[in-house]
Structures are given as structure tokens and as C-alpha cells.
């Protein structure tokens, strides 16, 4: 379970360190150095997070081989609107100090651009600048539109997903189409009481694990990659230490029943950025 396999055969580490809202270069640098030192091998950034340079420098200084790190970045909405996909990946690669990323994602479904942007993403893939390409924040109807014309199936769909917003339908759709689902905000993005939910706390106690470990493990057992973010070493370690226990069917069911379709982030059908 440490790695899942994407549709094109590439292995993807299933617990990812995310760096959204870590704009301060020193904090981002330190966080990635720490994350790599404690065992993370998958980093999720984006052009719009403003920390690609710090991430790239941390990777370089870490002593970990570039080929042993799975690096994701994302194509921002302005670059979709202007159609400058190749320019955008080149800028990201230069900031990250690398010749390729492992995964390049269309960050949000910008209306009217899906087919054209995806064609250009396919070129990025063909040119080897990304080992895999995918999307983020795509609902089922966005994916249906994209798949009509796509030659390369998106390897990944990165969506908001935690226990009060379990996105069961999209997760199932993605699984059926060979698209690997990834969960952003898997801990409730620091805006939810999910980590003090009674059911989660009971299950955590039963397995001698923390609530954070239980909520992350639940997604892994559904085949969903998780992207927890923390700037603290103890939490980075805690969030990675989820491979040594198994939630039982009954635990999984109880956690599934917590869903209340409660979205915390922006709605992909109605965003203005
Ligand atoms: P998370 O669910 O990862 O929550 C992060 C919050 O939880 C922070 O406040 C963090 O605090 C806290 N935290 C981390 N670990 C623990 C723990 N073990 N116990 C208690 N609290 C903890 O949400 P994010 O919104 O940060 O999302 C994670 C990643 O997903 C982002 O960094 C980004 O890579 C990606 N993302 C992608 C989006 C997209 O549109 N594709 C949108 C949003 C996020 P602290 O740092 O102080 O430890």
C-alpha cells in the first residue's frame, strides 16, 4: 500500500507531503528537507503556491536521488485561459530545477478550455516533461467531457476528500476508468472538527493510533492517495506512519457513514479564480 500503480505503469507513493499555504520560502524549504529526511518520497506543489523554487532547492540539497522522488506540480488557470501550457511547464521545471516532473496536473476545470488544454498536456507527456498527466478538481461531468476527446487518459484526479465529504461517486468513477483518485484536504484542512469526531476517536483508540492516522488510512484503504500538509516534524512523521495497521470492514463502514457532503474548499462548478 506504500505505492499505488498508475494506469501507465508508473508507481506513485500513496502518502504525499503537500505545500499549499506555505508561501514563506524558508519554511517551505525546511518542511521539504524534513519531509524527505523522515521518509516522504512524494511532494505535491503547484505554480500558484509560489514555492516551487524552495521545493526544488530542498530536493537538491536533500541528498535523495531525484529519481527516487515523485514530484507533482500543477498548471494554473491563467495559463489554461491563455493556452500557454508549454511555457507554464517550462517555467515550473526551471523553478523546480529539474528536467521533468512525475505528475503534471490541470489545477482546476476552466470552462471552455478542457479539450484544448488537454491536447497540450498530452504534448507535455509525449515530450517527457511529465511522466504522467492528470487533472484536479474535476467532477464526473468534467471528466466525461475530457474523456470524449482524450488520447491519454488522465492518470490522476486530485479532489477535495475527507470523511464529511467522501466523494464516493467520483472515487468510484475514477476507479472504473483507471484514474487514480487523490485526496486534498484529507485532514479537513485545519477547518473541520473531523479529528475530534467521536467515531474517529473511538476507532483510533481501538487501533492505538491517532485520529489523523485513522482518517488518512481510511482513504488509503479505498485506494485514494492522501496529501496531508504539516510544517511540524512530529506531525509529518505521524501522518506517514499509517502502513502498520488495518481498519476492519466495520471501521470502514462506520467512517463512511460520517459523510454529509460538506465541502470546505471551492466548488469546481462555480469558482472565480
Ligand atoms: P490538510 O487536510 O492536509 O490539513 C492541513 C492542516 O492540518 C494544517 O492546519 C496542519 O497544521 C494540520 N495538521 C497536519 N497534520 C496534522 C496532524 N497529524 N494532527 C492534527 N493536525 C494536523 O489540508 P490542506 O488544505 O493543507 O491540503 C493538503 C494538501 O493538498 C495541500 O498542501 C496541497 O498540496 C493539496 N491541495 C490541493 C488543492 C487542489 O486544488 N488541487 C487544494 C488544496 C490543497 P500544521 O501545518 O500546523 O501541522
Amino acid at each position: 500500500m506504500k505505492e499505488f500503480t498508475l494506469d501507465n505503469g508508473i508507481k506513485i507513493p500513496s502518502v504525499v507531503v503537500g505545500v499549499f499555504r506555505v508561501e514563506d520560502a524558508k519554511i517551505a524549504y525546511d518542511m521539504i528537507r524534513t519531509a524527505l529526511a523522515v521518509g516522504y518520497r512524494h511532494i505535491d506543489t503547484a505554480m500558484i503556491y509560489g514555492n516551487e523554487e524552495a521545493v526544488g532547492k530542498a530536493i537538491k540539497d536533500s541528498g535523495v536521488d531525484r529519481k527516487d522522488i515523485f514530484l507533482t506540480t500543477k498548471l494554473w488557470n491563467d495559463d489554461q485561459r491563455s493556452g500557454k501550457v508549454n511555457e507554464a511547464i517550462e517555467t515550473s521545471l526551471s523553478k523546480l530545477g529539474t528536467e521533468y516532473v512525475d505528475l503534471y496536473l490541470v489545477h482546476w476545470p476552466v470552462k471552455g478550455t478542457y479539450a484544448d488544454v488537454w491536447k497540450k498536456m498530452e504534448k507535455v507527456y509525449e515530450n517527457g516533461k511529465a511522466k504522467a498527466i492528470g487533472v484536479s478538481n474535476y467532477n464526473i461531468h468534467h471528466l466525461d467531457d475530457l474523456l470524449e476527446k482524450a488520447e491519454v487518459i488522465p492518470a490522476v484526479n486530485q479532489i477535495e476528500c475527507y470523511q464529511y465529504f467522501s466523494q464516493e461517486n467520483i472515487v468510484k468513477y475514477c476507479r472504473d476508468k483507471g484514474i487514480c483518485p487523490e485526496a486534498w484536504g484529507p485532514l479537513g484542512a485545519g477547518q473541520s472538527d473531523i479529528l475530534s469526531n467521536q467515531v474517529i476517536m473511538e476507532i483510533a483508540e481501538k487501533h492505538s493510533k491517532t485520529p489523523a492516522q485513522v482518517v488518512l488510512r481510511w482513504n488509503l484503504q479505498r485506494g485514494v492517495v492522501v496529501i496531508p500538509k504539516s510544517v511540524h516534524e512530529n506531525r509529518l512523521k505521524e501522518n506517514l506512519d499509517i502502513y502498520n495497521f488495518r481498519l476492519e470492514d466495520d471501521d470502514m463502514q462506520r467512517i463512511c457513514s460520517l459523510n454529509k457532503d460538506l465541502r470546505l474548499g471551492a466548488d469546481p462548478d462555480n469558482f472565480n479564480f
Side-chain angles (χ1 to χ4, degrees), residues 16-22 31 40 43-46 48-49 51 74 76 105-108 135-137 158-162 182-191 194-195 210-213 215-216 226-239 264-266 273:
V16 189
V17 60
V19 288
F20 181 37
R21 294 197 196 89
V22 193
M31 176 183 170
Y40 286 82
I43 301 164
D44 182 86
T45 184
I48 199 68
Y49 300 169
N51 51 27
K74 310 185 191 89
W76 187 237
L105 298 178
V106 178
H107 207 143
W108 286 86
V135 295
S136 177
N137 298 301
Q158 185 181 117
I159 51 174
E160 180 183 347
C161 181
Y162 74 115
E182 291 188 348
W184 64 255
L187 298 166
Q191 300 172 48
I194 190 64
L195 299 181
T210 66
Q213 290 169 328
V215 302
L216 295 173
V226 288
I227 317 174
K229 167 260 168 190
S230 179
V231 293
H232 298 104
E233 180 170 354
N234 60 331
R235 285 178 169 176
L236 283 167
K237 283 185 181 158
E238 175 186 342
N239 297 341
L264 296 171
F273 43 84

Side-chain angles (χ1 to χ4, degrees), residues 119-167:
K119 219 166 241 350
K120 291 175 176 163
M121 292 288 286
E122 288 174 338
K123 272 267 165 306
V124 167
Y125 179 56
E126 261 172 51
N127 295 338
K129 291 175 195 168
K131 304 273 182 212
I133 50 173
V135 295
S136 177
N137 298 301
Y138 269 51
N139 285 332
I140 290 175
H141 69 94
H142 300 121
L143 288 167
D144 278 340
D145 275 4
L146 186 80
L147 291 176
E148 246 179 51
K149 299 207 178 108
E151 283 175 40
V152 178
I153 303 295
V156 161
N157 184 21
Q158 185 181 117
I159 51 174
E160 180 183 347
C161 181
Y162 74 115
Q163 283 65 30
Y164 295 156
F165 191 54
S166 61
Q167 301 252 48

